[in-house]
Amino acid sequence: MQILCVGDSLTEGIGNVSKPYPARLEEHLGARDLAFNLGARHTIASRVCPARARDCRSYWASPLLRHASAANATHAIFLFGTNDARYTKMDKFVSEYTELIRLFQRKPPIRILIGVLPPLRWADPDLVGPQTRSATIAEKALPDLLRTVATNVGADPPIDLRAPWYERCPRTAGTCRLMQRDGLHPNNAGTELIARTFARALRHRESKRAS
């Protein structure tokens, strides 16, 4: 398998993390399997950022998108929504995320996997205002919207990263040992859990295809 890992800073891996999830994903797959990190911080799946949104970038304008379109990949994993929950109207998110994924489907056969974000509940107190609003949208609205996106592109139901997260970080906990202090980006334990969850989903779906 050759896997494109497409997303924002949760995919790129920033802050106090030694290996982002794509690098860890390779370790959980076969010796010939490759995972390419096409994560770009501050990006959204929509085409345009709001005016005066300094830390917002559209993935449509990322040089990584051009690299991805030239790649000879078998799979693509998408993990967007962190920044979209803050900057994007949700109806536009569905239509433009769908369009973005379809760009990768122009060179079939490529199999699409879409991730549902880990919870964004454990915020730095300095960020609690805007981040709490984004976390609420990400937790309550995004899962259903992502199912719509998956249906639109003919993909399997999205891979839920929340369930394994909550097994280790209960909803009532004040902190989470899978997150960095900002409550937004996974630490090494968090990127490992994301990689294991995606690896399990890949193996399961490939075994279904082979049977």
Side-chain angles (χ1 to χ4, degrees):
M1 292 185 287
Q2 294 196 37
I3 306 153
L4 306 179
C5 301
V6 185
D8 52 31
S9 55
L10 272 66
T11 298
E12 179 185 351
I14 66 172
N16 185 25
V17 57
S18 59
K19 284 185 182 179
Y21 96 74
R24 297 178 184 274
L25 178 61
E26 273 195 351
E27 297 173 354
H28 289 281
L29 299 173
R32 296 183 179 181
D33 297 323
L34 299 173
F36 300 95
N37 190 337
L38 298 180
R41 67 189 67 189
H42 304 311
T43 53
I44 60 175
S46 295
R47 287 178 177 270
V48 180
C49 290
R52 296 190 294 275
R54 291 186 305 163
D55 292 333
C56 179
R57 307 284 184 272
S58 171
Y59 199 86
W60 289 80
S62 170
L64 293 172
L65 185 57
R66 293 192 291 274
H67 294 314
S69 62
N72 188 25
T74 58
H75 298 73
I77 298 174
F78 291 83
L79 189 60
F80 281 104
T82 309
N83 301 311
D84 295 272
R86 181 175 181 182
Y87 293 121
T88 308
K89 292 182 179 179
M90 291 296 98
D91 56 342
K92 184 173 289 189
F93 171 74
V94 169
S95 62
E96 298 190 352
Y97 198 0
T98 297
E99 290 180 44
L100 179 64
I101 293 173
R102 283 177 174 158
L103 293 179
F104 289 75
Q105 294 177 307
R106 291 180 178 175
K107 293 179 64 176
I110 186 167
R111 291 181 283 284
I112 302 298
L113 292 84
I114 300 171
V116 178
L117 293 175
L120 309 177
R121 297 171 59 87
W122 295 274
D124 184 322
D126 295 335
L127 302 173
V128 77
Q131 192 159 307
T132 298
R133 290 192 296 273
S134 299
T136 300
I137 293 171
E139 187 161 344
K140 293 186 176 180
L142 275 183
D144 286 340
L145 298 176
L146 292 171
R147 282 189 280 273
T148 301
V149 173
T151 299
N152 290 347
V153 300
D156 287 339
I159 300 162
D160 190 358
L161 297 173
R162 298 170 306 164
W165 217 268
Y166 278 133
E167 289 175 7
R168 294 156 180 80
C169 294
R171 294 171 187 266
T172 56
T175 59
C176 177
R177 58 190 177 90
L178 301 174
M179 304 295 280
Q180 298 183 45
R181 185 180 180 271
D182 64 4
L184 181 65
H185 296 98
N187 57 23
N188 285 320
T191 58
E192 172 66 18
L193 180 57
I194 293 172
R196 285 205 312 269
T197 305
F198 280 142
R200 189 180 308 116
L202 281 164
R203 287 194 296 266
H204 175 69
R205 294 178 188 198
E206 288 305 297
S207 66
K208 282 175 61 179
R209 290 184 67 253
S211 61

